[in-house]
Amino acid sequence: MTDQATGAEPDMESDIPGKPTSASRTTLSHIMTHNDTNLLGTVHGGVIMKLVDDAAGAVAGRHSGGPAVTASMDEMAFLEPVRVGDLVHVKAQVNWTGRTSMEVGVRVLAERWNESAPPTQVGSAYLVFAAVDADGKPRRVPPVIPETDRDRRRCQEAQIRRTHRLARRREIRELREQRAAEGFED
């Protein structure tokens, strides 16, 4: 692959001790109001995306021990609409770490504020964060140490997503270079 840490093994290039998955896992909860609705009367997807980014950012900052910025968001899936009055729980954890970046997996659950039914999964996303120093330059992150079989599976899946992201970027860059060489201006 690349110079990424696998999560299961310590990063031999770094003297930064690893952190277990549970060390930075978090849940952000928010009740949805009329201010959050779209034209259809359900909660606007952008409101959910903001909550996802907030929770993932908190996890990335906790894991890296300082500021981390959103580098990309993959596979934001909206599975069910969220309604006014729903209590939304955004659960996030670090799935994988590289030298200066980390993937955070997020699950979005919703439950009626006045019912005792279990929460329903309404969305999920994967975000990549880059840890930065005070000057905005990349800085090293601790390796993540998966604790459960589920954590190990998430780490493996994150590595697959990373490989696909890098391949997609490379193919797009090569296509643009080819088109530029052929005289096309984009």
Side-chain angles (χ1 to χ4, degrees), residues 31 83-89 110-118:
I31 194 156
R83 300 167 292 170
V84 170
D86 281 355
L87 181 57
V88 172
H89 307 286
E111 62 180 307
R112 296 303 294 167
W113 66 273
N114 60 350
E115 295 177 8
S116 60

Side-chain angles (χ1 to χ4, degrees), residues 80-102:
E80 298 282 338
V82 177
R83 300 167 292 170
V84 170
D86 281 355
L87 181 57
V88 172
H89 307 286
V90 183
K91 298 177 175 282
Q93 77 171 47
V94 173
N95 290 335
W96 168 91
T97 53
R99 285 192 351 236
T100 61
S101 65
M102 61 208 110

